[in-house]
DNA sequence: TTGGATGCAAATGTTTTGCAGAACT
DNA sequence: AGTTCTGCAAAACATTTGCATCCAA
């Protein structure tokens, strides 16, 4: 069953390694596997915890280096929120933006081809070549606004 | 001439201080003044440099604390880019988003009421209350793409 | 006089780097 | 054999905090 997760990503990584004359390693594969299984928006610390359940000997440094590698290979993207970096798988995923709840930290994804299109238009106008973007909308999710309302109005 | 910069912002700060029973200080005024004059997107380190030209005795810590205060008072907004926080004046400025050039670091602003509207619509749909957003488009500005092309095609 | 504000130094938390040994090609 | 990779410890950063002192109200 392990082999059914992220087949394609593993190939992408392997190709990247060959192309750049880098070497394979068991650690990288374990980390990639954990990263892909973890779902989205993991921090380094979280990923380290997950990985170490399988292989307790893997070091924090290797997580950092692997995530950087995954980014370079186009497999991961980084989003910084609240003082620490978080990463999410990038491969084969629709492009999307993020709603981030400032109370519970939950991240909701959304996408809007319309927004993408507008961006492109503006970029063309100023001669800017888009390579990526980070669109984070900050606020309160339904759950947290409801909870706050139930708790009574806030004093100012 | 000094008194003609940021009159309104100074009033906003003063009002905030009174409302929260905080005290005025020469440092804060010097920092606010420098912040407003500095133009946009200053880092703590840059602002410290600017402020110290006028008052060499101001400490880094005070810059941090003042910028936090300005944020709380609604005078500044923070955007994290490249591992360090940057701040820009918020008061009386149109809301805008950012194009950031990955080569020269230049930041171009743009705004799109259309994008704002789309965001609002989506937020309403998922029950999310928007408090702010960070929309950073990363890429290459016209100057840098031209320079790169002139330098000849890149080898891969 | 009281409590907030400041600046230094120390602490914190995250990410990077130096290095010796292990692993890969 | 020759590199790259790894993990530890140390270093490097950006940011925050403790504290004695200063200053505004």
């Amino acid at each position: 069953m392990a082999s059914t997760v992220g087949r394609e990503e593993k190939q992408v990584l392997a190709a990247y390694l060959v192309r750049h004359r880098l070497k394979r390693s068991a650690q990288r594969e374990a980390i990639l596997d954990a990263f892909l299984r973890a779902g989205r928006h993991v921090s380094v610390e979280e990923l380290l915890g997950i990985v170490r359940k399988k292989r307790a000997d893997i070091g924090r440094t290797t997580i950092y280096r692997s995530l950087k590698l995954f980014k370079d290979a186009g497999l991961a993207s980084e989003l910084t929120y609240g003082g620490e970096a978080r990463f999410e798988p990038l491969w084969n995923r629709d492009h999307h933006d993020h709603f981030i709840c400032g109370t519970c930290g939950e991240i909701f994804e959304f996408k809007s081809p319309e927004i993408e299109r507008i961006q492109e238009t503006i970029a063309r106008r100023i001669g800017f070549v888009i390579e990526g973007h980070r669109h984070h909308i900050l606020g309160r999710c339904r759950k947290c606004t409801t909870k706050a309302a139930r708790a009574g109005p806030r004093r100012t």
Side-chain angles (χ1 to χ4, degrees), chain A residues 7-37:
Chain A
R7 261 197 319 274
E8 200 180 341
E9 286 85 346
K10 281 165 190 166
Q11 285 169 20
V12 171
L13 180 60
Y16 183 89
L17 294 179
V18 170
R19 218 164 351 106
H20 293 260
R21 273 164 253 270
L22 303 176
K23 293 172 180 171
R24 305 186 341 102
S25 83
Q27 287 90 327
R28 278 178 186 162
E29 281 174 23
I31 294 169
L32 179 57
D33 196 68
F35 176 56
L36 296 173
R37 288 169 183 282

Side-chain angles (χ1 to χ4, degrees), chain A residues 57-128:
Chain A
D57 59 324
I58 288 183
R60 182 177 282 97
T61 308
T62 304
I63 305 280
Y64 277 101
R65 291 195 272 228
S66 296
L67 285 170
K68 179 164 189 325
L69 177 71
F70 299 165
K71 267 202 321 189
D72 292 343
L75 288 168
S77 77
E78 183 175 351
L79 70 114
T80 310
Y81 181 62
E84 72 176 350
R86 296 190 156 263
F87 296 81
E88 62 171 356
L90 187 61
W91 194 254
N92 249 352
R93 295 207 62 215
D94 285 339
H95 174 76
H96 60 269
D97 296 333
H98 300 96
F99 278 100
I100 302 173
C101 177
T103 301
C104 66
E106 190 81 34
I107 299 179
F108 302 82
E109 299 181 353
F110 74 99
K111 58 183 157 183
S112 167
E114 222 178 332
I115 290 181
E116 312 280 313
R117 221 188 39 245
I118 297 169
Q119 285 178 180
E120 276 298 342
T121 306
I122 299 174
R124 212 169 304 124
R125 195 151 62 221
I126 65 172
F128 196 94

